């Protein structure tokens, strides 16, 4: 048996009254032999989440509630890390939009200790309700056309050292020494942290046996907003650290520009719209072949994810380049 030191579990929330009780119950399951605290850090819920958490904490002193004035996940997790029990050596990050297997906290914490890693990440499988758009989004996100073959999005990649994955456990002292998450990042704070961790010599371990279930957005509009923000966040990480994005990350950018140019140039010649039409046809054919539910829903979800991510990355890149020009020193020309 691996001895696991005191664990602090962070649960960022914002209007999660429908799921938070179940999430806390799942996190406590299989944790009877652990010394731990669960700190729910709330960004200002108005749906009764805080009242529900107060009731839970009264019945179980291992659960406590903090207010997150920054509202976003990065600031919430950082707040938990800074206010953790003095005995704590491990920080576990969780999400109120996920379902956790029995013993999840114990497993990722023990893995952190056994491997000597500074961070443990886990795979994520997306699930949705049957016969709804959420189910179509789930199928799209679990597919290679939707996730680009990312190792932590389903699949069968074995446990081992990795570059990135869904964040689960951290060595608390390392997390604090690196300044935690960059709180200027509302999204992609996890990937940005992994870049800094790697630069510091830290290592990330992917624990395949601790896969979690994630519940995606329920509407096309909310999915588009989410992926636009994801694209922006990735762009910020790329420019902040001057790293080269992977081909699967740049594919949505190419798709976005292909569609944009096809639409703009179609009035000049219908032939110039063929690249965009080919993309749409490919997505539709893929959806019809692989969808277990609605092929139309999966097609909409795929297009929404690709185009929104590409648009977000493009906007983020434009903003970053504009910022570089603003910061560039003015060139003075002296005429003698």
């Amino acid at each position: 048996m691996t001895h696991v030191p005191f664990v602090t579990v962070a649960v960022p929330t914002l209007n999660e009254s429908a799921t938070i009780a179940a999430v806390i119950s799942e996190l406590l399951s299989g944790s009877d032999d652990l010394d731990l605290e669960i700190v729910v850090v709330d960004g200002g819920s108005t749906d009764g989440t805080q009242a529900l958490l107060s009731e839970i904490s009264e019945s179980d002193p291992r659960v406590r509630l903090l207010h997150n004035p920054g509202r976003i996940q990065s600031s919430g997790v950082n707040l938990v890390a800074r206010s953790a029990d003095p005995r704590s050596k491990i920080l576990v990050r969780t999400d109120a939009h996920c379902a956790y297997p029995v013993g999840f906290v114990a497993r990722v914490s023990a893995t952190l200790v056994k491997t000597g890693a500074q961070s443990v990440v886990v795979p994520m499988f997306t699930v949705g309700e049957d016969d709804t758009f959420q189910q179509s989004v789930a199928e799209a996100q679990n597919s290679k056309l939707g996730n680009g073959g990312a190792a932590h999005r389903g699949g069968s990649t074995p446990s081992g050292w990795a570059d990135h994955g869904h964040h689960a456990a951290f060595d608390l002292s390392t997390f604090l020494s690196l300044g935690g998450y960059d709180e200027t990042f509302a999204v992609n704070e996890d990937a940005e942290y992994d870049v800094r961790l790697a630069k510091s010599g830290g290592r990330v371990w992917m624990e395949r046996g601790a896969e979690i279930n994630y519940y995606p957005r329920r509407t096309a509009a909310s999915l588009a907003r989410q992926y636009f923000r994801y694209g922006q966040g990735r762009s910020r990480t790329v420019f902040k650290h001057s790293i080269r994005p992977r081909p699967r990350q740049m594919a949505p950018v190419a798709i976005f520009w292909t569609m944009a140019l096809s639409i703009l140039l179609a009035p000049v010649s219908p032939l110039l719209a063929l690249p965009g039409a080919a993309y749409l046809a490919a997505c539709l054919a893929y959806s019809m072949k692989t969808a277990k539910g609605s092929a139309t829903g999966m097609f909409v979800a795929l297009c929404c994810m690709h185009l929104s991510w590409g648009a977000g990355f493009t906007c983020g890149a434009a903003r970053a380049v504009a910022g570089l020009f603003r910061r560039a020193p003015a060139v003075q020309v002296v005429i003698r």
Side-chain angles (χ1 to χ4, degrees):
M1 295 291 291
T2 301
H3 172 69
V4 176
F6 195 95
V7 179
T8 294
V9 182
V11 190
T13 59
L14 180 63
N15 295 327
E16 309 291 357
S17 62
T19 59
I20 188 60
V23 169
I24 291 176
S25 177
E26 290 167 354
L27 294 174
L28 289 172
S29 66
S31 300
D32 294 340
D33 296 331
L34 286 183
D35 291 324
L36 85 166
E37 62 175 349
I38 294 181
V39 185
V40 181
V41 56
D42 188 79
S45 295
T46 58
D47 69 340
T49 298
Q50 296 183 29
L52 182 59
L53 287 167
S54 296
E55 295 178 6
I56 294 173
S57 63
E58 287 179 5
S59 61
D60 193 331
R62 293 175 296 178
V63 181
R64 61 187 176 98
L65 173 66
L66 288 179
H67 174 60
N68 174 19
R71 294 178 65 84
I72 60 177
Q73 288 187 334
S74 56
S75 61
V77 175
N78 285 354
L79 179 59
V80 174
R82 293 193 299 267
S83 61
D85 188 292
R87 296 171 292 171
S88 186
K89 302 296 182 183
I90 296 173
L91 175 68
V92 172
R93 170 185 169 165
T94 60
D95 192 318
H97 291 282
C98 295
Y100 294 88
V102 174
F104 173 82
V105 175
R107 178 155 190 165
V108 297
S109 299
T111 299
L112 189 78
V113 175
K114 286 189 295 184
T115 61
Q118 285 68 51
S119 174
V120 170
V121 298
V122 297
M124 182 168 66
F125 186 77
T126 312
V127 296
E129 296 180 355
D130 293 338
D131 300 322
T132 65
F133 183 68
Q134 187 186 48
Q135 175 62 31
S136 296
V137 175
E139 290 193 285
Q141 292 183 345
N142 289 330
S143 70
K144 286 190 176 181
L145 191 58
N147 61 44
H152 70 288
R153 297 303 297 261
S156 57
T157 303
S159 297
W161 299 110
D163 297 325
H164 179 59
H166 186 77
H167 279 185
F170 306 92
D171 175 78
L172 181 56
S173 63
T174 300
F175 186 83
L176 291 172
S177 70
L178 292 175
Y181 287 137
D182 184 335
E183 295 185 20
T184 66
F185 279 68
V187 294
N188 208 239
E189 75 283 348
D190 50 355
E192 192 280 330
Y193 175 83
D194 287 342
V195 174
R196 286 187 283 122
L197 179 64
K199 288 182 176 180
S200 73
R203 296 189 298 171
V204 178
W205 178 270
M206 168 74 76
E207 181 59 24
R208 169 59 56 182
E211 182 178 74
I212 65 174
N213 289 337
Y214 168 75
Y215 301 103
R217 298 298 192 267
R218 293 179 176 274
T219 67
S222 60
L223 181 67
R225 288 192 295 269
Q226 179 187 35
Y227 271 74
F228 184 87
R229 294 170 69 231
Y230 282 173
Q232 283 186 313
R234 172 56 64 176
S235 178
R236 286 199 60 204
T237 299
V238 166
F239 279 89
K240 176 180 177 179
H241 294 286
S242 300
I243 58 177
R244 180 181 300 174
R246 295 177 178 178
R248 66 176 175 83
Q249 295 168 340
M250 293 308 295
V253 180
I255 290 169
F256 169 74
W257 280 105
T258 296
M259 288 300 300
L261 291 174
S262 293
I263 294 171
L264 290 173
L265 297 177
V268 178
S269 171
L271 292 177
L272 297 177
L274 287 178
Y279 162 73
L280 295 175
C283 284
L284 182 58
Y286 182 86
S287 299
M288 294 177 66
K289 180 180 179 180
T290 61
K292 296 179 181 179
S294 169
T296 301
M298 185 176 181
F299 166 75
V300 171
L302 285 170
C303 295
C304 191
M305 290 157 54
H306 293 158
L307 295 173
S308 298
W309 201 100
F313 189 97
T314 298
C315 290
R319 183 176 299 176
V321 171
L324 292 175
F325 280 107
R326 286 195 298 268
R327 290 192 296 269
V331 178
Q332 294 183 348
V333 177
V334 179
I335 300 177
R336 297 182 180 278

